């Protein structure tokens, strides 16, 4: 009988250890999802904003178009509920989606790849955050969109390489 008790003790310790590991993994995933959310909100604005929703839609469409949804779910990068565990993945797929769907529209043509940030809204305001991001990421496109909105691109996009 002593062997049985020793084996049971080892078994119980192992099961306890595995339970601790599973709980630690759950906590790590929850923290990762929260950090991803916070990072994307800093860059894309509030989750209920049009800009955030449009960027997320472009990123999701790119991920689906490239057939990576199932692979990312299998690796734990994309959770079953659609939450991402890495903000760089979302940002990368947004950039890929912008390139893939540049002339495509979202929401029945309501916005062309996130819209033109140089165009004023009903209150006469522009989205300066989007303009700044666009100027940094794609200055050629920024110049074109500025002209399309009736703006002087030289006022928005620096000509010097610095």
């Amino acid at each position: 009988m002593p062997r049985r008790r020793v084996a049971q003790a080892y078994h119980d310790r192992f099961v306890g250890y595995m339970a601790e590991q599973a709980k630690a993994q759950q906590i790590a995933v929850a923290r990762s999802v929260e950090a991803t959310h916070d990072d994307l909100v800093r860059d894309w604005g509030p989750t209920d904003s049009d800009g955030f929703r449009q960027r997320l839609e472009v990123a999701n469409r790119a991920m689906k178009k490239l057939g990576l949804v199932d692979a990312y779910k299998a690796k734990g990068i994309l959770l079953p509920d659609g939450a991402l565990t890495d903000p760089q993945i979302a940002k990368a797929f947004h950039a890929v989606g912008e390139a893939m769907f540049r002339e495509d529209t979202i929401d029945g043509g309501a916005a062309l790849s996130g819209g033109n940030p140089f165009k004023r809204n009903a209150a006469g305001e522009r989205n300066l955050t989007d303009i700044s991001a666009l100027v940094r990421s794609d200055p050629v496109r920024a110049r074109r969109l500025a002209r399309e909105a009736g703006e002087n691109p030289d006022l928005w996009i620096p000509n010097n390489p610095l």
Side-chain angles (χ1 to χ4, degrees):
M1 285 292 214
R3 284 185 173 162
R4 190 175 205 176
R5 276 190 236 137
V6 169
Q8 184 65 46
Y10 278 122
H11 174 266
D12 292 348
R13 288 179 68 189
F14 178 74
V15 168
Y17 171 77
M18 292 308 292
E20 287 174 13
Q21 292 300 313
K23 183 171 179 133
Q25 178 64 21
Q26 287 175 334
I27 290 170
V29 167
R31 286 182 179 152
S32 179
V33 168
E34 186 176 320
T36 297
H37 172 269
D38 293 347
D39 190 306
L40 293 178
V41 166
R42 265 193 310 277
D43 285 0
W44 292 356
T47 56
D48 60 348
S49 70
D50 287 339
F52 186 96
R53 284 194 297 263
Q54 288 172 351
R55 285 179 181 87
L56 187 59
E57 175 63 22
V58 168
N60 286 335
R61 287 177 66 196
M63 198 178 322
K64 288 175 189 171
K65 184 81 171 174
L66 294 170
L68 293 171
V69 173
D70 291 336
Y72 278 9
K73 283 184 179 178
K75 298 290 183 188
I77 296 169
L78 181 65
L79 301 181
D81 67 357
L84 278 167
T85 58
D86 186 333
Q88 296 308 316
I89 300 261
K91 292 175 188 176
F93 276 105
H94 173 258
V96 168
E98 280 285 310
M100 288 174 69
F101 309 119
R102 185 157 296 190
E103 300 305 321
D104 198 0
T105 58
I106 299 172
D107 296 327
L112 176 63
S113 295
N116 185 339
F118 292 97
K119 289 186 179 175
R120 295 178 183 268
N121 64 15
E125 302 162 338
R126 294 183 194 91
N127 188 330
L128 298 179
T129 303
D130 284 354
I131 290 172
S132 178
L134 179 61
V135 166
R136 281 192 312 271
S137 68
D138 192 348
V140 172
R141 183 167 182 243
R143 286 187 162 285
R144 181 177 54 83
L145 291 177
R147 280 191 299 274
E148 287 175 9
E151 295 290 330
N152 179 353
D154 294 332
L155 298 176
W156 293 95
I157 298 114
N159 287 322
N160 62 11
L162 302 176

